[in-house]
Amino acid sequence: LSAIFALPSPAIAMARLGCCLALLLLAAVVRAELVIDSFSLPNGDASEKVSPPMVITGTAATLESTQSATNGNILGGKRNVRLQLINSPVIDRVILSVNNVGVNSGLAFSSDNGAEVSFLMQWDGNDDLSLNATGLGGKDLTIGGLRDALTLQYRSHDLGYHEVITVCDINAVCANWTAPNPDAVAGSAFNLTAKFADFTPAGVDFSKVGAIQIYLPPVLALDFNLVRISVLLTECAEGEFESTAPTNATDRVCSPVTACDNDTEYESAAPTATSDRVCKPISECDDGEVEVMPPTATSDRECGCDTNTHYVKTVTNDDNNTSQVCTPLTECAEGEVEVMPPTPTSDRECGCDSNTHYLQTVTNPDNST
């Protein structure tokens, strides 16, 4: 820093600008996400059609279908797929499709109950399944050393199968990672995280990747819906929620969960993984009301009429809607006594104190009495 501030004024300005740009670039990298495949189209077409959808129908002998897709949302611009129906005692069917609309958007894989199936997907910039270990030209999956894993985001999938992910660097050094049993309920959404440190054998340079491959060994009756494959998204920590969901080009944004001021606020809505806590001011009792239920961390104060000085009066407005109003009790005038005590919903009734007063009939100027 002393060297920077020793520079002439224009040089100081340029140095400071350079520092600011460096910080901005670092911030952008920290929030970046490298998408391997989002299984969607940038032009909004209804289906990528891994051509039309790949369908294999047959029995017994191994049948296979291969296909390539070109898309700007695919790492290296190419995705190659091989789908196999290995064995089936009856005529069964295997379907693999990609689309970006509806509840099953993403890569959808489905096979009949008796079908033994496998599939392979590969990203190496080529149009065929002959693996080119240097085809991606040295993609940095670590994003400058800030990321340490791949994430497979599933909307749903059956349990009991184990994908094998292979990553090769531009020196043709390759390593594998086998998925464990997911900590999830069959058919539910979850993420599979493949830590770079868990790939074996060691030695792959994940900052200079040339090819990525996912292989599913033969398995019976499989269904899954894969939404995206990317470098590990930011995981919101305890005390944070996802304030902005990830997109094809950006990471999720995490924000601190709001803390309610327990002296003046209560929690009206609890936080979730994707929403903040909602705090509302604790109600103050109006004139003539008393606290009938104290506030808690998750409930408001409840107020009611002070029955020593008020009663609840039902009032009808011009729209014939009724409401209850806390109304002051009538105080008996001089010479009157209480002839009917008040209740929570009725006023006090007063009448002449016959010990000291009497009722006199008076005629008014309009002859009313």
Short mmCIF file of all heavy atoms in Angstrom, two decimals, residues 251-318:
data_model
loop_
_atom_site.label_atom_id
_atom_site.label_comp_id
_atom_site.label_asym_id
_atom_site.label_seq_id
_atom_site.Cartn_x
_atom_site.Cartn_y
_atom_site.Cartn_z
N ASP A 251 -25.66 -18.29 -9.31
CA ASP A 251 -25.75 -19.08 -8.09
C ASP A 251 -26.95 -18.61 -7.28
O ASP A 251 -27.51 -17.54 -7.51
CB ASP A 251 -24.45 -18.86 -7.29
CG ASP A 251 -24.25 -19.89 -6.20
OD1 ASP A 251 -25.09 -20.80 -6.06
OD2 ASP A 251 -23.23 -19.78 -5.49
N ARG A 252 -27.36 -19.43 -6.31
CA ARG A 252 -28.40 -18.97 -5.39
C ARG A 252 -27.81 -17.90 -4.49
O ARG A 252 -26.60 -17.85 -4.24
CB ARG A 252 -28.95 -20.13 -4.55
CG ARG A 252 -28.02 -20.69 -3.51
CD ARG A 252 -28.76 -21.55 -2.48
NE ARG A 252 -29.67 -22.50 -3.08
CZ ARG A 252 -29.34 -23.73 -3.49
NH1 ARG A 252 -28.08 -24.13 -3.38
NH2 ARG A 252 -30.22 -24.54 -4.01
N VAL A 253 -28.66 -17.03 -4.00
CA VAL A 253 -28.26 -15.99 -3.07
C VAL A 253 -28.88 -16.31 -1.71
O VAL A 253 -30.08 -16.58 -1.61
CB VAL A 253 -28.73 -14.59 -3.53
CG1 VAL A 253 -28.37 -13.54 -2.49
CG2 VAL A 253 -28.09 -14.25 -4.87
N CYS A 254 -28.05 -16.31 -0.67
CA CYS A 254 -28.50 -16.58 0.69
C CYS A 254 -28.52 -15.28 1.49
O CYS A 254 -27.62 -14.45 1.34
CB CYS A 254 -27.58 -17.59 1.38
SG CYS A 254 -27.49 -19.19 0.54
N SER A 255 -29.53 -15.11 2.32
CA SER A 255 -29.65 -13.92 3.15
C SER A 255 -29.92 -14.33 4.59
O SER A 255 -30.52 -15.39 4.83
CB SER A 255 -30.79 -13.02 2.65
OG SER A 255 -30.53 -12.58 1.34
N PRO A 256 -29.49 -13.49 5.54
CA PRO A 256 -29.74 -13.82 6.96
C PRO A 256 -31.23 -13.81 7.26
O PRO A 256 -31.98 -12.98 6.76
CB PRO A 256 -29.02 -12.70 7.72
CG PRO A 256 -28.10 -12.07 6.73
CD PRO A 256 -28.72 -12.24 5.38
N VAL A 257 -31.64 -14.78 8.09
CA VAL A 257 -33.03 -14.81 8.55
C VAL A 257 -33.25 -13.65 9.53
O VAL A 257 -32.44 -13.41 10.42
CB VAL A 257 -33.35 -16.15 9.23
CG1 VAL A 257 -34.73 -16.12 9.87
CG2 VAL A 257 -33.27 -17.29 8.22
N THR A 258 -34.34 -12.91 9.33
CA THR A 258 -34.66 -11.78 10.20
C THR A 258 -34.93 -12.27 11.62
O THR A 258 -35.59 -13.28 11.83
CB THR A 258 -35.90 -11.04 9.67
OG1 THR A 258 -35.60 -10.52 8.38
CG2 THR A 258 -36.32 -9.91 10.60
N ALA A 259 -34.40 -11.54 12.59
CA ALA A 259 -34.67 -11.84 14.01
C ALA A 259 -35.68 -10.83 14.53
O ALA A 259 -35.50 -9.62 14.38
CB ALA A 259 -33.38 -11.76 14.82
N CYS A 260 -36.76 -11.33 15.13
CA CYS A 260 -37.77 -10.44 15.69
C CYS A 260 -37.28 -9.84 17.00
O CYS A 260 -36.55 -10.49 17.76
CB CYS A 260 -39.07 -11.19 15.94
SG CYS A 260 -39.84 -11.89 14.46
N ASP A 261 -37.65 -8.60 17.25
CA ASP A 261 -37.38 -7.95 18.54
C ASP A 261 -38.43 -8.44 19.52
O ASP A 261 -39.60 -8.07 19.44
CB ASP A 261 -37.46 -6.43 18.38
CG ASP A 261 -37.13 -5.68 19.66
OD1 ASP A 261 -37.18 -6.31 20.75
OD2 ASP A 261 -36.86 -4.47 19.60
N ASN A 262 -38.02 -9.30 20.44
CA ASN A 262 -38.99 -9.95 21.34
C ASN A 262 -39.73 -8.96 22.23
O ASN A 262 -40.80 -9.30 22.78
CB ASN A 262 -38.30 -11.00 22.20
CG ASN A 262 -37.83 -12.19 21.39
OD1 ASN A 262 -38.41 -12.50 20.34
ND2 ASN A 262 -36.78 -12.86 21.84
N ASP A 263 -39.20 -7.76 22.39
CA ASP A 263 -39.88 -6.77 23.24
C ASP A 263 -41.02 -6.08 22.51
O ASP A 263 -41.98 -5.61 23.14
CB ASP A 263 -38.88 -5.71 23.73
CG ASP A 263 -37.85 -6.29 24.69
OD1 ASP A 263 -38.19 -7.26 25.40
OD2 ASP A 263 -36.71 -5.79 24.71
N THR A 264 -40.91 -5.99 21.18
CA THR A 264 -41.91 -5.22 20.43
C THR A 264 -42.53 -5.99 19.27
O THR A 264 -43.49 -5.52 18.67
CB THR A 264 -41.28 -3.95 19.86
OG1 THR A 264 -40.20 -4.32 18.97
CG2 THR A 264 -40.73 -3.06 20.97
N GLU A 265 -42.01 -7.19 18.94
CA GLU A 265 -42.49 -7.94 17.79
C GLU A 265 -42.72 -9.40 18.15
O GLU A 265 -42.19 -9.91 19.13
CB GLU A 265 -41.48 -7.87 16.64
CG GLU A 265 -41.23 -6.48 16.09
CD GLU A 265 -40.15 -6.47 15.02
OE1 GLU A 265 -39.12 -7.18 15.20
OE2 GLU A 265 -40.32 -5.77 14.01
N TYR A 266 -43.51 -10.07 17.29
CA TYR A 266 -43.68 -11.51 17.40
C TYR A 266 -43.55 -12.12 16.00
O TYR A 266 -43.68 -11.43 14.99
CB TYR A 266 -45.03 -11.88 18.02
CG TYR A 266 -46.22 -11.60 17.13
CD1 TYR A 266 -46.80 -12.61 16.36
CD2 TYR A 266 -46.79 -10.33 17.04
CE1 TYR A 266 -47.88 -12.36 15.53
CE2 TYR A 266 -47.88 -10.07 16.23
CZ TYR A 266 -48.42 -11.09 15.47
OH TYR A 266 -49.49 -10.84 14.65
N GLU A 267 -43.27 -13.41 15.93
CA GLU A 267 -43.11 -14.11 14.65
C GLU A 267 -44.47 -14.53 14.13
O GLU A 267 -45.10 -15.42 14.70
CB GLU A 267 -42.20 -15.32 14.83
CG GLU A 267 -42.00 -16.15 13.57
CD GLU A 267 -41.25 -17.44 13.85
OE1 GLU A 267 -40.01 -17.41 13.85
OE2 GLU A 267 -41.92 -18.47 14.08
N SER A 268 -44.91 -13.91 13.03
CA SER A 268 -46.21 -14.27 12.46
C SER A 268 -46.08 -15.38 11.42
O SER A 268 -47.06 -16.06 11.12
CB SER A 268 -46.87 -13.05 11.83
OG SER A 268 -46.10 -12.55 10.75
N ALA A 269 -44.89 -15.56 10.84
CA ALA A 269 -44.64 -16.65 9.90
C ALA A 269 -43.20 -17.13 10.09
O ALA A 269 -42.27 -16.32 10.07
CB ALA A 269 -44.86 -16.20 8.46
N ALA A 270 -43.05 -18.42 10.28
CA ALA A 270 -41.72 -18.99 10.51
C ALA A 270 -40.91 -19.01 9.21
O ALA A 270 -41.48 -19.11 8.12
CB ALA A 270 -41.84 -20.40 11.08
N PRO A 271 -39.58 -18.92 9.31
CA PRO A 271 -38.77 -18.99 8.09
C PRO A 271 -38.77 -20.40 7.52
O PRO A 271 -38.96 -21.39 8.23
CB PRO A 271 -37.37 -18.60 8.59
CG PRO A 271 -37.37 -18.99 10.04
CD PRO A 271 -38.77 -18.77 10.53
N THR A 272 -38.56 -20.49 6.20
CA THR A 272 -38.39 -21.78 5.52
C THR A 272 -37.06 -21.73 4.77
O THR A 272 -36.33 -20.74 4.85
CB THR A 272 -39.53 -22.05 4.53
OG1 THR A 272 -39.44 -21.13 3.44
CG2 THR A 272 -40.90 -21.90 5.21
N ALA A 273 -36.77 -22.77 4.03
CA ALA A 273 -35.52 -22.79 3.25
C ALA A 273 -35.49 -21.69 2.20
O ALA A 273 -34.43 -21.23 1.80
CB ALA A 273 -35.34 -24.15 2.59
N THR A 274 -36.68 -21.23 1.76
CA THR A 274 -36.74 -20.24 0.69
C THR A 274 -37.53 -18.98 1.08
O THR A 274 -37.89 -18.20 0.20
CB THR A 274 -37.37 -20.85 -0.57
OG1 THR A 274 -38.67 -21.38 -0.23
CG2 THR A 274 -36.50 -21.97 -1.13
N SER A 275 -37.80 -18.79 2.35
CA SER A 275 -38.53 -17.58 2.75
C SER A 275 -38.03 -17.11 4.11
O SER A 275 -37.59 -17.90 4.95
CB SER A 275 -40.04 -17.82 2.81
OG SER A 275 -40.36 -18.77 3.81
N ASP A 276 -38.12 -15.79 4.31
CA ASP A 276 -37.64 -15.17 5.55
C ASP A 276 -38.70 -15.29 6.65
O ASP A 276 -39.88 -15.55 6.38
CB ASP A 276 -37.34 -13.70 5.27
CG ASP A 276 -36.51 -13.04 6.37
OD1 ASP A 276 -36.05 -13.75 7.29
OD2 ASP A 276 -36.33 -11.81 6.30
N ARG A 277 -38.27 -15.10 7.87
CA ARG A 277 -39.20 -14.98 9.00
C ARG A 277 -39.97 -13.67 8.85
O ARG A 277 -39.40 -12.64 8.46
CB ARG A 277 -38.44 -15.01 10.31
CG ARG A 277 -39.30 -14.73 11.54
CD ARG A 277 -38.47 -14.70 12.81
NE ARG A 277 -38.05 -16.03 13.20
CZ ARG A 277 -36.79 -16.46 13.21
NH1 ARG A 277 -35.81 -15.62 12.83
NH2 ARG A 277 -36.48 -17.68 13.57
N VAL A 278 -41.25 -13.68 9.14
CA VAL A 278 -42.07 -12.47 9.11
C VAL A 278 -42.35 -12.03 10.54
O VAL A 278 -42.86 -12.81 11.35
CB VAL A 278 -43.40 -12.70 8.36
CG1 VAL A 278 -44.25 -11.43 8.38
CG2 VAL A 278 -43.13 -13.14 6.93
N CYS A 279 -41.98 -10.79 10.86
CA CYS A 279 -42.21 -10.23 12.20
C CYS A 279 -43.28 -9.16 12.12
O CYS A 279 -43.31 -8.38 11.16
CB CYS A 279 -40.92 -9.62 12.76
SG CYS A 279 -39.53 -10.79 12.90
N LYS A 280 -44.14 -9.12 13.10
CA LYS A 280 -45.17 -8.08 13.16
C LYS A 280 -45.13 -7.41 14.53
O LYS A 280 -44.77 -8.05 15.53
CB LYS A 280 -46.55 -8.67 12.89
CG LYS A 280 -46.78 -9.09 11.46
CD LYS A 280 -48.21 -9.51 11.22
CE LYS A 280 -48.46 -9.82 9.75
NZ LYS A 280 -49.87 -10.22 9.49
N PRO A 281 -45.54 -6.13 14.59
CA PRO A 281 -45.53 -5.43 15.89
C PRO A 281 -46.55 -6.05 16.84
O PRO A 281 -47.65 -6.45 16.43
CB PRO A 281 -45.93 -3.99 15.52
CG PRO A 281 -45.70 -3.89 14.05
CD PRO A 281 -45.91 -5.25 13.49
N ILE A 282 -46.18 -6.12 18.11
CA ILE A 282 -47.12 -6.59 19.13
C ILE A 282 -48.20 -5.54 19.32
O ILE A 282 -47.91 -4.35 19.45
CB ILE A 282 -46.39 -6.87 20.45
CG1 ILE A 282 -45.40 -8.03 20.27
CG2 ILE A 282 -47.36 -7.19 21.58
CD1 ILE A 282 -44.51 -8.28 21.46
N SER A 283 -49.45 -5.96 19.32
CA SER A 283 -50.58 -5.03 19.46
C SER A 283 -50.58 -4.38 20.83
O SER A 283 -50.22 -5.01 21.85
CB SER A 283 -51.90 -5.76 19.25
OG SER A 283 -52.00 -6.28 17.94
N GLU A 284 -50.99 -3.11 20.86
CA GLU A 284 -51.21 -2.40 22.11
C GLU A 284 -52.72 -2.35 22.37
O GLU A 284 -53.50 -2.09 21.45
CB GLU A 284 -50.65 -0.97 22.03
CG GLU A 284 -49.14 -0.91 21.84
CD GLU A 284 -48.37 -1.41 23.05
OE1 GLU A 284 -48.94 -1.34 24.17
OE2 GLU A 284 -47.24 -1.87 22.88
N CYS A 285 -53.13 -2.59 23.59
CA CYS A 285 -54.55 -2.57 23.91
C CYS A 285 -55.08 -1.14 23.83
O CYS A 285 -54.42 -0.18 24.27
CB CYS A 285 -54.80 -3.14 25.31
SG CYS A 285 -54.42 -4.91 25.43
N ASP A 286 -56.25 -0.97 23.25
CA ASP A 286 -56.87 0.34 23.12
C ASP A 286 -57.42 0.82 24.46
O ASP A 286 -57.49 0.06 25.45
CB ASP A 286 -58.00 0.30 22.09
CG ASP A 286 -57.49 0.03 20.69
OD1 ASP A 286 -56.34 0.41 20.40
OD2 ASP A 286 -58.25 -0.55 19.88
N ASP A 287 -57.82 2.07 24.47
CA ASP A 287 -58.44 2.65 25.66
C ASP A 287 -59.68 1.83 26.01
O ASP A 287 -60.52 1.55 25.15
CB ASP A 287 -58.82 4.10 25.38
CG ASP A 287 -59.36 4.80 26.62
OD1 ASP A 287 -58.90 4.47 27.72
OD2 ASP A 287 -60.24 5.67 26.46
N GLY A 288 -59.78 1.44 27.25
CA GLY A 288 -60.91 0.63 27.70
C GLY A 288 -60.68 -0.85 27.58
O GLY A 288 -61.56 -1.64 27.92
N GLU A 289 -59.51 -1.26 27.06
CA GLU A 289 -59.18 -2.68 26.92
C GLU A 289 -58.09 -3.06 27.91
O GLU A 289 -57.32 -2.22 28.36
CB GLU A 289 -58.72 -2.99 25.50
CG GLU A 289 -59.77 -2.85 24.44
CD GLU A 289 -59.25 -3.26 23.06
OE1 GLU A 289 -58.05 -3.05 22.80
OE2 GLU A 289 -60.04 -3.79 22.28
N VAL A 290 -58.06 -4.34 28.21
CA VAL A 290 -57.00 -4.89 29.05
C VAL A 290 -56.44 -6.13 28.36
O VAL A 290 -57.07 -6.69 27.46
CB VAL A 290 -57.53 -5.27 30.45
CG1 VAL A 290 -57.90 -4.03 31.25
CG2 VAL A 290 -58.69 -6.24 30.36
N GLU A 291 -55.25 -6.52 28.72
CA GLU A 291 -54.61 -7.71 28.15
C GLU A 291 -55.25 -8.96 28.73
O GLU A 291 -55.24 -9.17 29.94
CB GLU A 291 -53.11 -7.68 28.46
CG GLU A 291 -52.35 -8.87 27.92
CD GLU A 291 -50.87 -8.82 28.27
OE1 GLU A 291 -50.11 -8.20 27.52
OE2 GLU A 291 -50.51 -9.39 29.33
N VAL A 292 -55.82 -9.78 27.85
CA VAL A 292 -56.42 -11.03 28.32
C VAL A 292 -55.52 -12.23 28.01
O VAL A 292 -55.70 -13.30 28.57
CB VAL A 292 -57.81 -11.25 27.69
CG1 VAL A 292 -58.78 -10.18 28.17
CG2 VAL A 292 -57.75 -11.27 26.17
N MET A 293 -54.55 -12.05 27.08
CA MET A 293 -53.57 -13.10 26.78
C MET A 293 -52.26 -12.42 26.41
O MET A 293 -52.21 -11.65 25.45
CB MET A 293 -54.05 -13.98 25.62
CG MET A 293 -53.17 -15.20 25.37
SD MET A 293 -53.32 -16.45 26.67
CE MET A 293 -54.98 -17.03 26.33
N PRO A 294 -51.21 -12.66 27.16
CA PRO A 294 -49.94 -11.98 26.87
C PRO A 294 -49.33 -12.48 25.57
O PRO A 294 -49.59 -13.61 25.13
CB PRO A 294 -49.06 -12.34 28.07
CG PRO A 294 -49.62 -13.63 28.58
CD PRO A 294 -51.10 -13.56 28.32
N PRO A 295 -48.50 -11.66 24.92
CA PRO A 295 -47.84 -12.10 23.68
C PRO A 295 -46.78 -13.15 23.97
O PRO A 295 -46.23 -13.22 25.08
CB PRO A 295 -47.22 -10.82 23.14
CG PRO A 295 -46.98 -9.97 24.35
CD PRO A 295 -48.11 -10.29 25.30
N THR A 296 -46.51 -13.98 22.96
CA THR A 296 -45.41 -14.95 23.02
C THR A 296 -44.49 -14.67 21.84
O THR A 296 -44.72 -13.75 21.06
CB THR A 296 -45.91 -16.39 22.96
OG1 THR A 296 -46.44 -16.64 21.63
CG2 THR A 296 -47.00 -16.65 23.99
N ALA A 297 -43.46 -15.49 21.69
CA ALA A 297 -42.54 -15.30 20.57
C ALA A 297 -43.23 -15.50 19.22
O ALA A 297 -42.80 -14.95 18.21
CB ALA A 297 -41.37 -16.26 20.70
N THR A 298 -44.34 -16.28 19.21
CA THR A 298 -45.02 -16.58 17.96
C THR A 298 -46.50 -16.20 17.96
O THR A 298 -47.25 -16.63 17.09
CB THR A 298 -44.90 -18.08 17.64
OG1 THR A 298 -45.41 -18.84 18.75
CG2 THR A 298 -43.45 -18.48 17.40
N SER A 299 -46.95 -15.40 18.91
CA SER A 299 -48.35 -14.98 18.92
C SER A 299 -48.47 -13.55 19.45
O SER A 299 -47.65 -13.10 20.27
CB SER A 299 -49.21 -15.92 19.76
OG SER A 299 -48.83 -15.89 21.12
N ASP A 300 -49.50 -12.87 18.99
CA ASP A 300 -49.73 -11.49 19.37
C ASP A 300 -50.42 -11.41 20.73
O ASP A 300 -50.96 -12.39 21.24
CB ASP A 300 -50.61 -10.82 18.30
CG ASP A 300 -50.62 -9.30 18.39
OD1 ASP A 300 -49.82 -8.74 19.17
OD2 ASP A 300 -51.42 -8.69 17.67
N ARG A 301 -50.37 -10.22 21.32
CA ARG A 301 -51.14 -9.96 22.54
C ARG A 301 -52.63 -9.96 22.19
O ARG A 301 -53.04 -9.46 21.15
CB ARG A 301 -50.74 -8.60 23.12
CG ARG A 301 -51.62 -8.14 24.26
CD ARG A 301 -51.26 -6.74 24.71
NE ARG A 301 -50.00 -6.74 25.45
CZ ARG A 301 -48.89 -6.11 25.08
NH1 ARG A 301 -48.89 -5.43 23.92
NH2 ARG A 301 -47.79 -6.15 25.80
N GLU A 302 -53.45 -10.55 23.06
CA GLU A 302 -54.89 -10.50 22.88
C GLU A 302 -55.47 -9.55 23.91
O GLU A 302 -55.13 -9.60 25.10
CB GLU A 302 -55.52 -11.89 23.05
CG GLU A 302 -55.11 -12.86 21.95
CD GLU A 302 -55.81 -14.20 22.06
OE1 GLU A 302 -56.91 -14.24 22.68
OE2 GLU A 302 -55.28 -15.20 21.57
N CYS A 303 -56.35 -8.65 23.44
CA CYS A 303 -56.96 -7.64 24.30
C CYS A 303 -58.46 -7.84 24.37
O CYS A 303 -59.08 -8.37 23.43
CB CYS A 303 -56.66 -6.24 23.77
SG CYS A 303 -54.89 -5.83 23.68
N GLY A 304 -59.03 -7.43 25.44
CA GLY A 304 -60.47 -7.50 25.60
C GLY A 304 -60.95 -6.33 26.44
O GLY A 304 -60.15 -5.60 27.05
N CYS A 305 -62.27 -6.12 26.48
CA CYS A 305 -62.83 -5.01 27.25
C CYS A 305 -62.50 -5.15 28.73
O CYS A 305 -62.56 -6.24 29.30
CB CYS A 305 -64.35 -4.97 27.07
SG CYS A 305 -64.86 -4.11 25.59
N ASP A 306 -62.19 -4.02 29.34
CA ASP A 306 -62.03 -3.96 30.79
C ASP A 306 -63.44 -3.92 31.37
O ASP A 306 -64.11 -2.90 31.34
CB ASP A 306 -61.24 -2.72 31.17
CG ASP A 306 -61.01 -2.62 32.68
OD1 ASP A 306 -61.56 -3.45 33.43
OD2 ASP A 306 -60.28 -1.70 33.08
N THR A 307 -63.89 -5.06 31.88
CA THR A 307 -65.30 -5.16 32.33
C THR A 307 -65.57 -4.32 33.57
O THR A 307 -66.73 -4.20 33.97
CB THR A 307 -65.65 -6.63 32.61
OG1 THR A 307 -64.72 -7.19 33.54
CG2 THR A 307 -65.62 -7.44 31.32
N ASN A 308 -64.54 -3.75 34.17
CA ASN A 308 -64.77 -2.85 35.30
C ASN A 308 -65.25 -1.48 34.82
O ASN A 308 -65.91 -0.75 35.58
CB ASN A 308 -63.50 -2.68 36.13
CG ASN A 308 -63.10 -3.97 36.82
OD1 ASN A 308 -63.94 -4.65 37.40
ND2 ASN A 308 -61.81 -4.30 36.75
N THR A 309 -64.91 -1.14 33.57
CA THR A 309 -65.24 0.20 33.07
C THR A 309 -65.93 0.18 31.72
O THR A 309 -66.44 1.22 31.28
CB THR A 309 -63.96 1.05 32.95
OG1 THR A 309 -63.06 0.38 32.04
CG2 THR A 309 -63.27 1.21 34.31
N HIS A 310 -65.98 -0.98 31.02
CA HIS A 310 -66.54 -1.04 29.67
C HIS A 310 -67.34 -2.32 29.47
O HIS A 310 -67.22 -3.27 30.25
CB HIS A 310 -65.42 -0.99 28.63
CG HIS A 310 -64.73 0.32 28.52
ND1 HIS A 310 -63.89 0.81 29.52
CD2 HIS A 310 -64.74 1.28 27.54
CE1 HIS A 310 -63.42 1.99 29.17
NE2 HIS A 310 -63.91 2.29 27.96
N TYR A 311 -68.14 -2.34 28.41
CA TYR A 311 -68.84 -3.55 27.99
C TYR A 311 -68.75 -3.64 26.47
O TYR A 311 -68.43 -2.66 25.79
CB TYR A 311 -70.30 -3.54 28.44
CG TYR A 311 -71.19 -2.57 27.69
CD1 TYR A 311 -72.02 -3.01 26.66
CD2 TYR A 311 -71.21 -1.21 28.02
CE1 TYR A 311 -72.85 -2.12 25.97
CE2 TYR A 311 -72.02 -0.32 27.32
CZ TYR A 311 -72.84 -0.78 26.30
OH TYR A 311 -73.64 0.09 25.61
N VAL A 312 -69.00 -4.84 25.92
CA VAL A 312 -68.94 -5.06 24.48
C VAL A 312 -70.30 -4.76 23.88
O VAL A 312 -71.30 -5.42 24.20
CB VAL A 312 -68.51 -6.50 24.16
CG1 VAL A 312 -68.52 -6.73 22.65
CG2 VAL A 312 -67.14 -6.82 24.72
N LYS A 313 -70.32 -3.77 23.00
CA LYS A 313 -71.56 -3.36 22.35
C LYS A 313 -71.51 -3.78 20.87
O LYS A 313 -70.51 -3.56 20.19
CB LYS A 313 -71.73 -1.84 22.46
CG LYS A 313 -73.02 -1.31 21.85
CD LYS A 313 -73.10 0.21 22.03
CE LYS A 313 -74.40 0.77 21.45
NZ LYS A 313 -74.48 2.24 21.65
N THR A 314 -72.60 -4.39 20.41
CA THR A 314 -72.69 -4.79 19.00
C THR A 314 -73.28 -3.63 18.21
O THR A 314 -74.37 -3.14 18.52
CB THR A 314 -73.55 -6.04 18.83
OG1 THR A 314 -72.97 -7.11 19.58
CG2 THR A 314 -73.64 -6.44 17.36
N VAL A 315 -72.55 -3.18 17.19
CA VAL A 315 -72.95 -2.02 16.40
C VAL A 315 -73.18 -2.46 14.95
O VAL A 315 -72.39 -3.22 14.39
CB VAL A 315 -71.86 -0.93 16.44
CG1 VAL A 315 -72.24 0.24 15.55
CG2 VAL A 315 -71.62 -0.49 17.87
N THR A 316 -74.27 -1.98 14.35
CA THR A 316 -74.58 -2.26 12.94
C THR A 316 -74.30 -1.01 12.12
O THR A 316 -74.80 0.08 12.43
CB THR A 316 -76.05 -2.67 12.77
OG1 THR A 316 -76.32 -3.81 13.58
CG2 THR A 316 -76.36 -3.01 11.31
N ASN A 317 -73.47 -1.17 11.06
CA ASN A 317 -73.14 -0.01 10.23
C ASN A 317 -74.14 0.14 9.09
O ASN A 317 -75.12 -0.62 8.98
CB ASN A 317 -71.70 -0.11 9.71
CG ASN A 317 -71.49 -1.34 8.84
OD1 ASN A 317 -72.43 -1.90 8.27
ND2 ASN A 317 -70.23 -1.76 8.74
N ASP A 318 -73.89 1.09 8.21
CA ASP A 318 -74.82 1.38 7.11
C ASP A 318 -74.94 0.22 6.13
O ASP A 318 -75.93 0.13 5.40
CB ASP A 318 -74.37 2.63 6.36
CG ASP A 318 -74.48 3.89 7.23
OD1 ASP A 318 -75.25 3.85 8.21
OD2 ASP A 318 -73.77 4.88 6.94
#
